[in-house]
């Protein structure tokens, strides 16, 4: 009886949660008032400012037409990576294009209060996309692919385009209105020197442990740079070069981590303790 009662409570909880999300979207302008845990369907368009109406094509239109079964009058949220959200209403649905009227725009800031750049020697294959997706969710400002002595993946122009698309998809899901930048690949030495006076850490087994005292220095930082080497590790020369240019080495533990695991672990450890203002939710 206890098991049945528990299952019943779970079903009621799920139903109630779904009802909240449905009610929040039942009136168009309520879309702007939904919290981050219940985001409405979001769609990307590269340029929205100053447009009274726009057309969506490609994968975005496919989702509207074939997944949401969009009809005239449906209201959705659009964003273009500039920092704003746009309430839009479907005007016309065609075979592969959806025409929408832009109703209003709001500035909704879900960014970190500090600029964070992640330099990383990219892993192979689909693990690149996973890394980009999680870096986007955690609020990284810029991801720079690094060319290192033992690197295994040298991103091509097509690779960078795929990763940029992954940023858009991750931003739609997590609610970011500014796109994480995918920079062109740079060599290890150039990345180190470009850091300037920013707070900068790189992962290395010979580094200091990530302590509370160490992480406390990021509370007042204006710019943070993080670096992750290849799976084969940084060479001694690369480590010496980083230390010599003011970078601090940090140890991520006794276990051997994959590139993407090390990158996300370091990003989360550094960014989550940073004080941040309350999220701006229009109408709240």
């Amino acid at each position: 009886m206890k098991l049945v009662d528990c299952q019943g409570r779970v079903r009621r909880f799920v139903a109630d949660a779904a009802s909240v999300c449905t009610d929040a979207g039942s009136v168009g302008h309520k879309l702007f008032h939904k919290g981050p845990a219940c985001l409405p369907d979001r769609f990307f368009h590269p340029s929205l400012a100053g447009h009274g109406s726009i057309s969506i094509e490609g994968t975005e239109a496919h989702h509207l037409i074939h997944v949401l079964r969009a009809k005239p009058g449906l209201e959705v949220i659009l964003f273009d990576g500039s920092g704003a959200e746009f309430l839009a209403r479907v005007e016309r649905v065609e075979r592969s294009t959806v025409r929408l009227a832009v109703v209003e725009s709001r500035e909704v800031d879900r960014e970190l209060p500090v600029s964070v750049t992640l330099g990383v020697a990219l892993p192979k294959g689909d693990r690149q996309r996973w890394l980009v997706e999680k870096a986007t969710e955690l609020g990284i400002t810029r991801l720079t692919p690094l060319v290192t002595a033992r690197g295994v993946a040298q991103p091509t122009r097509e690779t960078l385009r795929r990763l940029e698309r992954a940023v858009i998809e991750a931003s739609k899901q997590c609610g970011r209105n500014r796109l994480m930048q995918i920079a062109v690949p740079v060599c290890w030495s150039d990345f180190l020197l470009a850091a300037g006076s920013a707070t900068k850490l790189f992962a290395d087994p010979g580094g200091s442990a990530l302590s509370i005292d160490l992480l406390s220095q990021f509370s007042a930082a204006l710019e943070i740079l993080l670096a992750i080497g290849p799976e084969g590790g940084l060479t001694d020369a690369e480590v010496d070069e980083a230390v010599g240019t003011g970078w601090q080495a940090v140890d991520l533990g006794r276990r051997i981590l994959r590139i993407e695991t090390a990158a996300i672990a370091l990003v989360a450890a550094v960014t989550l303790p940073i004080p941040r203002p309350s999220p701006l939710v229009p109408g709240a």
Side-chain angles (χ1 to χ4, degrees):
M1 292 297 293
K2 290 184 178 179
L3 177 60
V4 172
D5 182 62
C6 179
Q7 290 175 336
R9 290 183 181 182
V10 170
R11 284 194 294 269
R12 287 196 297 273
F13 175 81
V14 172
D16 289 344
S19 176
V20 169
C21 290
T22 301
D23 291 344
S26 61
V27 178
H29 293 266
K30 288 186 180 179
L31 292 177
F32 273 136
H33 300 269
K34 295 167 75 176
C38 192
L39 286 173
D41 289 291
R42 288 161 46 89
F43 297 87
F44 178 78
H45 188 280
S47 179
L48 291 168
H51 293 282
S53 61
I54 56 101
S55 291
I56 286 183
E57 302 174 338
T59 56
E60 302 292 86
H62 181 274
H63 186 78
L64 265 171
I65 297 169
H66 300 288
V67 178
L68 293 185
R69 305 291 183 182
K71 293 179 173 57
L74 176 69
E75 293 184 333
V76 297
I77 297 296
L78 306 178
F79 72 107
D80 60 5
S82 66
E85 288 182 351
F86 298 78
L87 177 67
R89 182 180 298 116
V90 173
E91 292 184 320
R92 186 171 66 253
V93 179
E94 300 175 353
R95 178 183 292 271
S96 59
T97 303
V98 180
R99 188 74 179 174
L100 301 105
V102 178
V103 178
E104 63 176 299
S105 67
R106 300 281 183 90
E107 291 291 329
V108 182
D109 186 8
R110 299 188 180 101
E111 298 302 297
L112 293 173
V114 58
S115 172
V116 182
T117 296
L118 172 64
V120 57
L122 291 177
K124 289 182 177 180
D126 291 341
R127 292 159 56 198
Q128 296 177 359
R129 180 183 177 89
W130 188 92
L131 169 59
V132 166
E133 178 183 284
K134 303 312 171 188
T136 301
E137 292 176 14
L138 287 172
I140 292 296
T141 308
R142 181 184 303 101
L143 186 146
T144 302
L146 298 179
V147 179
T148 61
R150 296 172 179 163
V152 295
Q154 304 303 329
T156 63
R157 185 174 300 177
E158 179 58 30
T159 298
L160 297 180
R161 280 197 291 265
R162 287 200 303 270
L163 296 183
E164 288 171 349
R165 184 64 202 178
V167 171
I168 293 173
E169 293 301 318
S171 298
K172 288 163 60 176
Q173 179 271 322
C174 73
R176 287 185 70 175
N177 291 318
R178 292 192 182 278
L179 299 180
M180 181 181 76
Q181 300 173 27
I182 301 292
V184 296
V186 300
C187 69
W188 177 254
S189 297
D190 290 343
F191 185 74
L192 297 178
L193 293 174
S197 60
T199 301
K200 37 195 182 285
L201 295 178
F202 73 101
D204 183 72
S208 304
L210 275 174
S211 64
I212 294 177
D213 290 340
L214 175 61
L215 294 174
S216 65
Q217 65 181 284
F218 297 103
S219 61
L222 298 178
E223 183 179 10
I224 299 172
L225 273 77
L226 307 173
I228 302 291
E231 288 183 343
L234 297 166
T235 64
D236 291 343
E238 288 170 332
V239 172
D240 291 343
E241 185 178 12
V243 173
T245 52
W247 286 71
Q248 183 168 354
V250 292
D251 179 20
L252 298 180
R254 299 178 180 180
R255 292 166 298 281
I256 298 174
L257 306 181
R258 285 189 164 188
I259 294 171
E260 62 274 27
T261 308
I264 297 309
L266 183 56
V267 169
V270 168
T271 60
L272 292 180
I274 295 175
R276 64 203 70 197
S278 300
L280 175 59
V281 180

